[in-house]
Amino acid sequence: MKIIDGKAVAAEVLLECREEVLALVAQGIRPGLAVVLVGEDPASQVYVGSKAKTCGELGIHSEKIVLPAATSQEELMAVVRKLNNDPAIHGILVQSPPPRHIDESAVVRAIDPRKDVDGFHPENVAKLALEDPGGFVPCTPAGAMRLLAAAGIDTNGAEAVVLGRSMIVGKPMALLLMSKNANATVTVAHSRSRDLPAICRRADILIAAVGRPEMVRADWVKDGCVVIDVGINRIADSNKKSGFRLTGDVAYDEVAPKCAAITPVPGGVGPMTIAMLMKNTLQAARQSR
Ligand code: GUN
């Protein structure tokens, strides 16, 4: 059983990014990313902080815009429009999920698709479906694909099961796996699927992205399966200083022994999401020329 080291693969991606930042700066372009957070969700605060910190380490200009939870739709849209017109900013990300009174889909549509480094704008969703390389691929599924490649997993002709159908992970993940680059046979399963364990047992490659702690058990996977665990769930744990521990969507201890390869949580997909965001920001800066 091979543990796929997301931190190591992310470090590789960041090394590539650092070189590209130098090349862009030499051409007079300082890449810039704006990260917008509305409200005080503790996990989102951590993610947004890590994104800004990684930008700093790579020499990418970053702006962190933190707005109160009571920010109105119109105020948020005004912030997005201002960033659309800011030549120092090549990438814009509004951290999800926003407070409930915000229409997230309207906010995403307001982002200039050329700056939509999350790949959530309908124009970029279409480009992904069309396999147009000029679009932005959502960071988490892009990171999962890179982990499969780094671990030497051949997706061609493989049975891939994507557990979860979210806009951020499940749907784009399915598109990437069925693309002409990957050529997997893809099944998308979700909370309403009739027999989740039976569907998952078919998988050569299982992508767990449901946001349910340790839902995937040992009897859900076949021997030799490759498991990519996208879940990052906070579980109360009084033994931890923070008061919680992180766990994936997979019951790691019982599933890992059956796997050919598996990603841990933390240290698997998580670090890749930020690394791929940096890559997308550089793509945006490059394409702005
Ligand atoms: N929340 C969880 N993952 C993501 C992501 O990739 N982008 C944004 N904007 N919000 C998220």
Side-chain angles (χ1 to χ4, degrees):
M1 191 269 296
K2 171 178 184 168
I3 298 172
I4 303 175
D5 184 347
K7 266 193 252 176
V9 181
E12 252 173 55
V13 173
L14 293 176
L15 210 59
E16 295 166 15
C17 288
R18 195 187 296 272
E19 290 191 4
E20 193 176 354
V21 171
L22 292 176
L24 282 165
V25 169
Q27 296 165 46
I29 302 170
R30 166 81 57 191
L33 173 69
V35 183
V36 182
L37 172 62
V38 188
E40 275 115 49
D41 178 63
S44 289
Q45 286 177 337
V46 173
Y47 300 146
V48 164
S50 310
K51 287 164 184 175
K53 178 165 167 273
T54 307
C55 282
E57 288 163 0
L58 295 182
I60 296 175
H61 166 69
S62 82
E63 287 177 32
K64 191 167 97 181
I65 299 161
V66 180
L67 303 171
T71 302
S72 71
Q73 179 80 22
E74 191 41 48
E75 285 167 325
L76 179 54
M77 299 285 260
V79 167
V80 168
R81 280 193 291 268
K82 187 154 168 281
L83 293 169
N84 281 343
N85 294 317
D86 184 343
I89 295 299
H90 302 97
I92 303 170
L93 176 152
V94 180
Q95 186 65 31
S96 184
R100 270 201 302 277
H101 67 276
I102 297 291
D103 176 354
E104 187 172 16
S105 157
V107 175
V108 165
R109 282 163 209 265
I111 297 172
D112 183 333
R114 293 167 299 184
K115 296 191 176 188
D116 168 40
V117 286
D118 260 330
F120 296 167
H121 189 286
E123 193 171 306
N124 287 311
V125 176
K127 284 182 173 169
L128 178 59
L130 296 167
E131 302 188 34
D132 175 342
F136 295 101
V137 178
C139 307
T140 301
M145 292 302 289
R146 176 91 188 218
L147 284 179
L148 289 172
I153 310 299
D154 187 6
T155 55
N156 284 276
E159 286 280 350
V161 173
V162 179
L163 198 48
R165 55 178 160 182
S166 69
M167 175 227 11
I168 294 185
V169 184
K171 275 184 203 170
M173 190 76 225
L175 286 170
L176 287 168
L177 284 164
M178 75 171 83
S179 74
K180 292 196 174 66
N181 286 319
N183 299 307
T185 303
V186 181
T187 302
V188 180
H190 46 79
S191 56
R192 301 291 188 94
S193 296
R194 194 181 303 135
D195 189 346
L196 282 178
I199 296 168
C200 291
R201 273 192 293 272
R202 294 209 303 259
D204 301 314
I205 298 168
L206 177 63
I207 314 288
V210 271
R212 297 262 241 107
E214 299 176 358
M215 181 160 122
V216 176
R217 314 303 307 196
D219 64 343
W220 289 38
V221 298
K222 74 174 174 193
D223 281 320
C225 182
V226 173
V227 173
I228 305 289
D229 189 351
V230 179
I232 305 181
N233 307 292
R234 290 183 170 205
I235 301 277
D237 185 342
S238 53
N239 293 323
K240 298 274 180 181
K241 207 163 58 188
S242 58
F244 66 87
R245 69 185 170 89
L246 292 179
T247 185
D249 292 348
V250 176
Y252 184 91
D253 290 344
E254 61 179 69
V255 171
K258 295 184 77 177
C259 295
I262 186 168
T263 61
V265 177
V269 174
M272 292 303 294
T273 295
I274 294 184
M276 301 317 278
L277 174 65
M278 299 299 121
K279 261 215 166 319
N280 281 356
T281 302
L282 300 186
Q283 180 188 335
R286 216 186 314 125
Q287 291 177 353
S288 74
R289 286 180 297 196

Short mmCIF file of all heavy atoms in Angstrom, two decimals, residues 45-104:
data_model
loop_
_atom_site.label_atom_id
_atom_site.label_comp_id
_atom_site.label_asym_id
_atom_site.label_seq_id
_atom_site.Cartn_x
_atom_site.Cartn_y
_atom_site.Cartn_z
N GLN A 45 -11.57 30.79 7.17
CA GLN A 45 -10.51 31.72 7.58
C GLN A 45 -9.14 31.07 7.42
O GLN A 45 -8.19 31.70 6.95
CB GLN A 45 -10.73 32.17 9.03
CG GLN A 45 -11.88 33.17 9.17
CD GLN A 45 -12.15 33.56 10.61
OE1 GLN A 45 -11.83 32.83 11.54
NE2 GLN A 45 -12.76 34.72 10.78
N VAL A 46 -9.04 29.78 7.80
CA VAL A 46 -7.76 29.07 7.66
C VAL A 46 -7.37 28.96 6.19
O VAL A 46 -6.24 29.26 5.80
CB VAL A 46 -7.85 27.65 8.30
CG1 VAL A 46 -6.59 26.85 8.01
CG2 VAL A 46 -8.08 27.76 9.80
N TYR A 47 -8.35 28.56 5.33
CA TYR A 47 -8.04 28.38 3.91
C TYR A 47 -7.58 29.69 3.28
O TYR A 47 -6.61 29.73 2.54
CB TYR A 47 -9.27 27.86 3.15
CG TYR A 47 -9.79 26.52 3.63
CD1 TYR A 47 -11.15 26.23 3.61
CD2 TYR A 47 -8.92 25.54 4.11
CE1 TYR A 47 -11.63 25.00 4.05
CE2 TYR A 47 -9.39 24.32 4.55
CZ TYR A 47 -10.74 24.06 4.52
OH TYR A 47 -11.22 22.85 4.96
N VAL A 48 -8.31 30.76 3.58
CA VAL A 48 -8.00 32.06 2.98
C VAL A 48 -6.62 32.54 3.44
O VAL A 48 -5.83 33.07 2.65
CB VAL A 48 -9.12 33.08 3.33
CG1 VAL A 48 -8.68 34.49 3.09
CG2 VAL A 48 -10.37 32.75 2.54
N GLY A 49 -6.31 32.30 4.72
CA GLY A 49 -4.99 32.66 5.24
C GLY A 49 -3.88 31.89 4.53
O GLY A 49 -2.85 32.47 4.14
N SER A 50 -4.09 30.57 4.31
CA SER A 50 -3.06 29.75 3.64
C SER A 50 -2.86 30.20 2.20
O SER A 50 -1.73 30.18 1.68
CB SER A 50 -3.48 28.28 3.60
OG SER A 50 -3.86 27.84 4.86
N LYS A 51 -3.94 30.60 1.54
CA LYS A 51 -3.83 31.03 0.15
C LYS A 51 -2.97 32.28 0.05
O LYS A 51 -2.06 32.37 -0.78
CB LYS A 51 -5.23 31.26 -0.44
CG LYS A 51 -5.98 29.95 -0.70
CD LYS A 51 -7.48 30.13 -0.91
CE LYS A 51 -8.16 28.75 -1.05
NZ LYS A 51 -9.62 28.82 -1.14
N ALA A 52 -3.23 33.25 0.95
CA ALA A 52 -2.47 34.51 0.93
C ALA A 52 -0.99 34.24 1.28
O ALA A 52 -0.08 34.79 0.65
CB ALA A 52 -3.08 35.50 1.92
N LYS A 53 -0.77 33.35 2.24
CA LYS A 53 0.61 33.04 2.68
C LYS A 53 1.39 32.40 1.53
O LYS A 53 2.55 32.76 1.27
CB LYS A 53 0.54 32.09 3.88
CG LYS A 53 1.88 31.64 4.41
CD LYS A 53 1.74 31.02 5.81
CE LYS A 53 2.99 30.28 6.23
NZ LYS A 53 3.04 28.88 5.78
N THR A 54 0.76 31.45 0.82
CA THR A 54 1.45 30.78 -0.29
C THR A 54 1.78 31.78 -1.40
O THR A 54 2.86 31.71 -1.98
CB THR A 54 0.59 29.62 -0.83
OG1 THR A 54 0.22 28.78 0.27
CG2 THR A 54 1.35 28.79 -1.84
N CYS A 55 0.87 32.70 -1.68
CA CYS A 55 1.16 33.77 -2.65
C CYS A 55 2.44 34.50 -2.26
O CYS A 55 3.33 34.71 -3.09
CB CYS A 55 0.01 34.79 -2.71
SG CYS A 55 -1.40 34.24 -3.65
N GLY A 56 2.54 34.88 -0.98
CA GLY A 56 3.71 35.60 -0.49
C GLY A 56 4.99 34.83 -0.72
O GLY A 56 6.00 35.38 -1.17
N GLU A 57 4.95 33.51 -0.48
CA GLU A 57 6.14 32.67 -0.64
C GLU A 57 6.59 32.57 -2.10
O GLU A 57 7.76 32.34 -2.38
CB GLU A 57 5.86 31.27 -0.08
CG GLU A 57 5.78 31.25 1.45
CD GLU A 57 5.12 30.00 2.01
OE1 GLU A 57 4.70 29.11 1.22
OE2 GLU A 57 4.98 29.90 3.25
N LEU A 58 5.63 32.74 -3.02
CA LEU A 58 5.96 32.59 -4.44
C LEU A 58 6.25 33.92 -5.12
O LEU A 58 6.64 33.94 -6.29
CB LEU A 58 4.80 31.90 -5.18
CG LEU A 58 4.47 30.47 -4.80
CD1 LEU A 58 3.34 29.95 -5.66
CD2 LEU A 58 5.68 29.58 -4.95
N GLY A 59 6.04 35.02 -4.43
CA GLY A 59 6.20 36.32 -5.08
C GLY A 59 4.99 36.74 -5.89
O GLY A 59 5.09 37.56 -6.80
N ILE A 60 3.83 36.15 -5.56
CA ILE A 60 2.58 36.56 -6.19
C ILE A 60 1.95 37.65 -5.31
O ILE A 60 1.87 37.48 -4.09
CB ILE A 60 1.61 35.36 -6.33
CG1 ILE A 60 2.20 34.30 -7.26
CG2 ILE A 60 0.23 35.81 -6.80
CD1 ILE A 60 1.37 33.03 -7.37
N HIS A 61 1.55 38.76 -5.94
CA HIS A 61 0.87 39.81 -5.20
C HIS A 61 -0.48 39.27 -4.74
O HIS A 61 -1.19 38.62 -5.51
CB HIS A 61 0.67 41.02 -6.13
CG HIS A 61 -0.30 42.03 -5.61
ND1 HIS A 61 -0.04 42.80 -4.51
CD2 HIS A 61 -1.54 42.37 -6.04
CE1 HIS A 61 -1.08 43.59 -4.27
NE2 HIS A 61 -2.00 43.34 -5.18
N SER A 62 -0.85 39.50 -3.46
CA SER A 62 -2.17 39.02 -3.04
C SER A 62 -2.89 40.07 -2.22
O SER A 62 -2.26 40.87 -1.51
CB SER A 62 -2.05 37.71 -2.26
OG SER A 62 -1.71 37.93 -0.92
N GLU A 63 -4.20 40.08 -2.36
CA GLU A 63 -5.05 40.93 -1.54
C GLU A 63 -6.07 40.05 -0.87
O GLU A 63 -6.75 39.26 -1.53
CB GLU A 63 -5.75 41.99 -2.42
CG GLU A 63 -4.80 43.06 -2.90
CD GLU A 63 -5.47 44.06 -3.84
OE1 GLU A 63 -6.68 44.32 -3.67
OE2 GLU A 63 -4.77 44.54 -4.74
N LYS A 64 -6.14 40.18 0.45
CA LYS A 64 -7.12 39.41 1.21
C LYS A 64 -8.20 40.40 1.62
O LYS A 64 -7.92 41.37 2.32
CB LYS A 64 -6.42 38.80 2.43
CG LYS A 64 -7.23 37.78 3.16
CD LYS A 64 -6.37 36.99 4.14
CE LYS A 64 -6.49 37.57 5.53
NZ LYS A 64 -5.66 36.84 6.51
N ILE A 65 -9.42 40.18 1.17
CA ILE A 65 -10.51 41.10 1.47
C ILE A 65 -11.51 40.37 2.36
O ILE A 65 -12.17 39.42 1.92
CB ILE A 65 -11.18 41.58 0.16
CG1 ILE A 65 -10.12 42.34 -0.67
CG2 ILE A 65 -12.38 42.48 0.46
CD1 ILE A 65 -10.48 42.47 -2.11
N VAL A 66 -11.57 40.78 3.62
CA VAL A 66 -12.47 40.14 4.58
C VAL A 66 -13.64 41.06 4.84
O VAL A 66 -13.45 42.21 5.26
CB VAL A 66 -11.72 39.81 5.89
CG1 VAL A 66 -12.66 39.13 6.88
CG2 VAL A 66 -10.51 38.92 5.62
N LEU A 67 -14.84 40.58 4.55
CA LEU A 67 -16.06 41.39 4.69
C LEU A 67 -16.92 40.81 5.81
O LEU A 67 -16.94 39.59 6.01
CB LEU A 67 -16.84 41.39 3.38
CG LEU A 67 -16.08 41.88 2.14
CD1 LEU A 67 -16.88 41.62 0.88
CD2 LEU A 67 -15.75 43.37 2.28
N PRO A 68 -17.65 41.67 6.51
CA PRO A 68 -18.50 41.16 7.60
C PRO A 68 -19.62 40.26 7.07
O PRO A 68 -20.02 40.37 5.91
CB PRO A 68 -19.09 42.43 8.22
CG PRO A 68 -18.80 43.54 7.28
CD PRO A 68 -17.68 43.13 6.39
N ALA A 69 -20.09 39.36 7.93
CA ALA A 69 -21.14 38.40 7.54
C ALA A 69 -22.39 39.10 7.04
O ALA A 69 -23.14 38.55 6.24
CB ALA A 69 -21.47 37.49 8.73
N ALA A 70 -22.61 40.35 7.49
CA ALA A 70 -23.82 41.08 7.11
C ALA A 70 -23.68 41.81 5.77
O ALA A 70 -24.61 42.50 5.35
CB ALA A 70 -24.17 42.09 8.21
N THR A 71 -22.57 41.64 5.09
CA THR A 71 -22.37 42.28 3.78
C THR A 71 -23.52 41.91 2.84
O THR A 71 -23.91 40.74 2.75
CB THR A 71 -21.03 41.81 3.17
OG1 THR A 71 -19.98 42.15 4.07
CG2 THR A 71 -20.78 42.47 1.82
N SER A 72 -24.03 42.92 2.13
CA SER A 72 -25.17 42.65 1.24
C SER A 72 -24.66 42.11 -0.10
O SER A 72 -23.49 42.25 -0.46
CB SER A 72 -25.97 43.92 0.99
OG SER A 72 -25.23 44.81 0.16
N GLN A 73 -25.59 41.49 -0.81
CA GLN A 73 -25.30 40.99 -2.16
C GLN A 73 -24.69 42.10 -3.02
O GLN A 73 -23.68 41.91 -3.68
CB GLN A 73 -26.62 40.50 -2.79
CG GLN A 73 -26.50 39.97 -4.20
CD GLN A 73 -25.99 38.54 -4.22
OE1 GLN A 73 -26.10 37.82 -3.24
NE2 GLN A 73 -25.42 38.14 -5.32
N GLU A 74 -25.33 43.27 -2.98
CA GLU A 74 -24.89 44.38 -3.84
C GLU A 74 -23.49 44.86 -3.45
O GLU A 74 -22.65 45.12 -4.33
CB GLU A 74 -25.91 45.53 -3.80
CG GLU A 74 -25.69 46.60 -4.86
CD GLU A 74 -25.30 46.04 -6.25
OE1 GLU A 74 -25.96 45.10 -6.75
OE2 GLU A 74 -24.30 46.55 -6.81
N GLU A 75 -23.21 44.91 -2.14
CA GLU A 75 -21.86 45.31 -1.70
C GLU A 75 -20.82 44.32 -2.19
O GLU A 75 -19.73 44.70 -2.64
CB GLU A 75 -21.82 45.40 -0.16
CG GLU A 75 -22.51 46.63 0.41
CD GLU A 75 -22.73 46.53 1.93
OE1 GLU A 75 -22.97 45.42 2.45
OE2 GLU A 75 -22.65 47.58 2.59
N LEU A 76 -21.13 43.03 -2.10
CA LEU A 76 -20.18 42.00 -2.54
C LEU A 76 -19.98 42.09 -4.05
O LEU A 76 -18.85 41.99 -4.55
CB LEU A 76 -20.71 40.62 -2.12
CG LEU A 76 -19.86 39.42 -2.53
CD1 LEU A 76 -18.41 39.56 -2.06
CD2 LEU A 76 -20.46 38.12 -1.98
N MET A 77 -21.07 42.28 -4.79
CA MET A 77 -20.97 42.42 -6.25
C MET A 77 -20.10 43.62 -6.61
O MET A 77 -19.33 43.56 -7.58
CB MET A 77 -22.36 42.60 -6.87
CG MET A 77 -23.31 41.45 -6.62
SD MET A 77 -22.95 40.00 -7.61
CE MET A 77 -24.16 40.21 -8.89
N ALA A 78 -20.21 44.70 -5.83
CA ALA A 78 -19.41 45.91 -6.11
C ALA A 78 -17.92 45.62 -5.90
O ALA A 78 -17.08 46.07 -6.68
CB ALA A 78 -19.87 47.06 -5.22
N VAL A 79 -17.61 44.82 -4.87
CA VAL A 79 -16.21 44.44 -4.62
C VAL A 79 -15.68 43.62 -5.80
O VAL A 79 -14.57 43.86 -6.30
CB VAL A 79 -16.10 43.64 -3.29
CG1 VAL A 79 -14.74 42.97 -3.17
CG2 VAL A 79 -16.36 44.54 -2.10
N VAL A 80 -16.49 42.69 -6.28
CA VAL A 80 -16.08 41.84 -7.41
C VAL A 80 -15.84 42.69 -8.66
O VAL A 80 -14.83 42.55 -9.35
CB VAL A 80 -17.13 40.74 -7.68
CG1 VAL A 80 -16.88 40.05 -9.01
CG2 VAL A 80 -17.14 39.72 -6.54
N ARG A 81 -16.77 43.64 -8.91
CA ARG A 81 -16.62 44.47 -10.12
C ARG A 81 -15.36 45.32 -10.06
O ARG A 81 -14.68 45.52 -11.06
CB ARG A 81 -17.87 45.36 -10.29
CG ARG A 81 -19.04 44.59 -10.92
CD ARG A 81 -20.14 45.54 -11.37
NE ARG A 81 -20.82 46.17 -10.23
CZ ARG A 81 -21.91 45.69 -9.64
NH1 ARG A 81 -22.48 44.58 -10.10
NH2 ARG A 81 -22.47 46.31 -8.62
N LYS A 82 -15.05 45.80 -8.85
CA LYS A 82 -13.84 46.60 -8.68
C LYS A 82 -12.60 45.75 -8.99
O LYS A 82 -11.68 46.19 -9.68
CB LYS A 82 -13.79 47.14 -7.25
CG LYS A 82 -12.69 48.13 -6.96
CD LYS A 82 -13.09 49.07 -5.80
CE LYS A 82 -11.89 49.86 -5.30
NZ LYS A 82 -11.03 49.06 -4.41
N LEU A 83 -12.60 44.51 -8.51
CA LEU A 83 -11.46 43.61 -8.76
C LEU A 83 -11.37 43.24 -10.25
O LEU A 83 -10.27 43.11 -10.80
CB LEU A 83 -11.57 42.35 -7.90
CG LEU A 83 -11.43 42.59 -6.38
CD1 LEU A 83 -11.84 41.34 -5.61
CD2 LEU A 83 -10.00 43.01 -6.02
N ASN A 84 -12.53 43.09 -10.91
CA ASN A 84 -12.55 42.82 -12.35
C ASN A 84 -11.77 43.89 -13.11
O ASN A 84 -11.11 43.61 -14.11
CB ASN A 84 -13.98 42.81 -12.88
CG ASN A 84 -14.72 41.52 -12.59
OD1 ASN A 84 -14.10 40.50 -12.26
ND2 ASN A 84 -16.04 41.56 -12.69
N ASN A 85 -11.86 45.14 -12.62
CA ASN A 85 -11.26 46.28 -13.33
C ASN A 85 -9.89 46.65 -12.80
O ASN A 85 -9.32 47.65 -13.23
CB ASN A 85 -12.20 47.49 -13.25
CG ASN A 85 -13.49 47.26 -14.00
OD1 ASN A 85 -13.48 46.71 -15.10
ND2 ASN A 85 -14.62 47.62 -13.39
N ASP A 86 -9.36 45.86 -11.87
CA ASP A 86 -8.07 46.18 -11.26
C ASP A 86 -6.95 45.46 -12.03
O ASP A 86 -6.86 44.22 -11.99
CB ASP A 86 -8.08 45.72 -9.79
CG ASP A 86 -6.81 46.10 -9.04
OD1 ASP A 86 -5.79 46.41 -9.71
OD2 ASP A 86 -6.84 46.07 -7.80
N PRO A 87 -6.09 46.20 -12.73
CA PRO A 87 -5.06 45.56 -13.56
C PRO A 87 -4.00 44.81 -12.73
O PRO A 87 -3.28 43.96 -13.29
CB PRO A 87 -4.42 46.73 -14.32
CG PRO A 87 -4.76 47.95 -13.54
CD PRO A 87 -6.06 47.67 -12.83
N ALA A 88 -3.90 45.08 -11.43
CA ALA A 88 -2.92 44.36 -10.59
C ALA A 88 -3.43 42.98 -10.19
O ALA A 88 -2.69 42.18 -9.63
CB ALA A 88 -2.60 45.18 -9.34
N ILE A 89 -4.71 42.72 -10.44
CA ILE A 89 -5.34 41.45 -10.03
C ILE A 89 -5.66 40.61 -11.26
O ILE A 89 -6.41 41.02 -12.14
CB ILE A 89 -6.64 41.74 -9.23
CG1 ILE A 89 -6.33 42.45 -7.91
CG2 ILE A 89 -7.43 40.45 -8.98
CD1 ILE A 89 -5.44 41.66 -6.95
N HIS A 90 -5.08 39.39 -11.31
CA HIS A 90 -5.34 38.47 -12.43
C HIS A 90 -6.32 37.37 -12.04
O HIS A 90 -6.97 36.79 -12.91
CB HIS A 90 -4.03 37.85 -12.91
CG HIS A 90 -3.03 38.87 -13.34
ND1 HIS A 90 -2.03 39.33 -12.51
CD2 HIS A 90 -2.92 39.58 -14.48
CE1 HIS A 90 -1.32 40.25 -13.12
NE2 HIS A 90 -1.84 40.44 -14.32
N GLY A 91 -6.37 37.07 -10.74
CA GLY A 91 -7.27 36.01 -10.28
C GLY A 91 -8.14 36.50 -9.14
O GLY A 91 -7.68 37.22 -8.26
N ILE A 92 -9.43 36.12 -9.17
CA ILE A 92 -10.37 36.49 -8.11
C ILE A 92 -11.01 35.21 -7.58
O ILE A 92 -11.49 34.38 -8.36
CB ILE A 92 -11.49 37.41 -8.64
CG1 ILE A 92 -10.90 38.66 -9.28
CG2 ILE A 92 -12.48 37.78 -7.52
CD1 ILE A 92 -11.94 39.50 -10.03
N LEU A 93 -11.03 35.08 -6.26
CA LEU A 93 -11.66 33.91 -5.64
C LEU A 93 -12.54 34.40 -4.50
O LEU A 93 -12.09 35.16 -3.64
CB LEU A 93 -10.56 32.99 -5.12
CG LEU A 93 -10.91 31.74 -4.34
CD1 LEU A 93 -9.82 30.72 -4.54
CD2 LEU A 93 -11.09 32.03 -2.87
N VAL A 94 -13.80 34.02 -4.52
CA VAL A 94 -14.69 34.31 -3.39
C VAL A 94 -14.87 32.99 -2.65
O VAL A 94 -15.40 32.02 -3.20
CB VAL A 94 -16.05 34.87 -3.87
CG1 VAL A 94 -16.95 35.16 -2.67
CG2 VAL A 94 -15.85 36.13 -4.70
N GLN A 95 -14.41 32.96 -1.40
CA GLN A 95 -14.40 31.70 -0.65
C GLN A 95 -15.82 31.17 -0.46
O GLN A 95 -16.74 31.91 -0.10
CB GLN A 95 -13.71 31.91 0.70
CG GLN A 95 -13.51 30.65 1.51
CD GLN A 95 -12.55 29.64 0.87
OE1 GLN A 95 -11.61 30.02 0.17
NE2 GLN A 95 -12.80 28.37 1.09
N SER A 96 -15.98 29.88 -0.70
CA SER A 96 -17.26 29.20 -0.55
C SER A 96 -17.23 28.37 0.75
O SER A 96 -16.17 27.83 1.08
CB SER A 96 -17.46 28.30 -1.77
OG SER A 96 -18.72 27.70 -1.73
N PRO A 97 -18.31 28.24 1.47
CA PRO A 97 -19.64 28.81 1.21
C PRO A 97 -19.79 30.21 1.82
O PRO A 97 -19.28 30.45 2.91
CB PRO A 97 -20.55 27.83 1.95
CG PRO A 97 -19.73 27.31 3.09
CD PRO A 97 -18.30 27.32 2.63
N PRO A 98 -20.48 31.11 1.11
CA PRO A 98 -20.77 32.43 1.69
C PRO A 98 -21.96 32.33 2.64
O PRO A 98 -22.60 31.28 2.69
CB PRO A 98 -21.15 33.26 0.46
CG PRO A 98 -21.76 32.26 -0.49
CD PRO A 98 -21.08 30.94 -0.22
N PRO A 99 -22.25 33.40 3.42
CA PRO A 99 -23.45 33.37 4.27
C PRO A 99 -24.71 33.09 3.44
O PRO A 99 -24.72 33.36 2.24
CB PRO A 99 -23.49 34.78 4.86
CG PRO A 99 -22.09 35.30 4.75
CD PRO A 99 -21.50 34.66 3.53
N ARG A 100 -25.75 32.59 4.10
CA ARG A 100 -26.93 32.10 3.39
C ARG A 100 -27.68 33.16 2.58
O ARG A 100 -28.31 32.84 1.57
CB ARG A 100 -27.91 31.45 4.38
CG ARG A 100 -27.67 29.96 4.58
CD ARG A 100 -28.91 29.27 5.14
NE ARG A 100 -29.35 29.84 6.40
CZ ARG A 100 -28.83 29.53 7.58
NH1 ARG A 100 -27.85 28.64 7.65
NH2 ARG A 100 -29.27 30.08 8.69
N HIS A 101 -27.59 34.44 3.00
CA HIS A 101 -28.35 35.45 2.27
C HIS A 101 -27.67 35.84 0.95
O HIS A 101 -28.22 36.62 0.17
CB HIS A 101 -28.55 36.70 3.14
CG HIS A 101 -27.28 37.44 3.43
ND1 HIS A 101 -26.43 37.09 4.46
CD2 HIS A 101 -26.68 38.49 2.81
CE1 HIS A 101 -25.38 37.90 4.47
NE2 HIS A 101 -25.51 38.76 3.48
N ILE A 102 -26.48 35.31 0.69
CA ILE A 102 -25.76 35.63 -0.55
C ILE A 102 -26.12 34.62 -1.64
O ILE A 102 -26.12 33.41 -1.41
CB ILE A 102 -24.22 35.60 -0.31
CG1 ILE A 102 -23.80 36.67 0.70
CG2 ILE A 102 -23.45 35.73 -1.62
CD1 ILE A 102 -23.91 38.09 0.22
N ASP A 103 -26.43 35.14 -2.83
CA ASP A 103 -26.68 34.30 -4.01
C ASP A 103 -25.32 34.01 -4.65
O ASP A 103 -24.80 34.81 -5.42
CB ASP A 103 -27.63 35.04 -4.96
CG ASP A 103 -27.86 34.27 -6.25
OD1 ASP A 103 -27.22 33.21 -6.47
OD2 ASP A 103 -28.70 34.73 -7.06
N GLU A 104 -24.77 32.84 -4.31
CA GLU A 104 -23.41 32.52 -4.73
C GLU A 104 -23.27 32.44 -6.25
O GLU A 104 -22.28 32.88 -6.82
CB GLU A 104 -22.97 31.19 -4.08
CG GLU A 104 -21.52 30.85 -4.32
CD GLU A 104 -21.02 29.64 -3.53
OE1 GLU A 104 -21.87 28.87 -3.02
OE2 GLU A 104 -19.80 29.48 -3.44
#
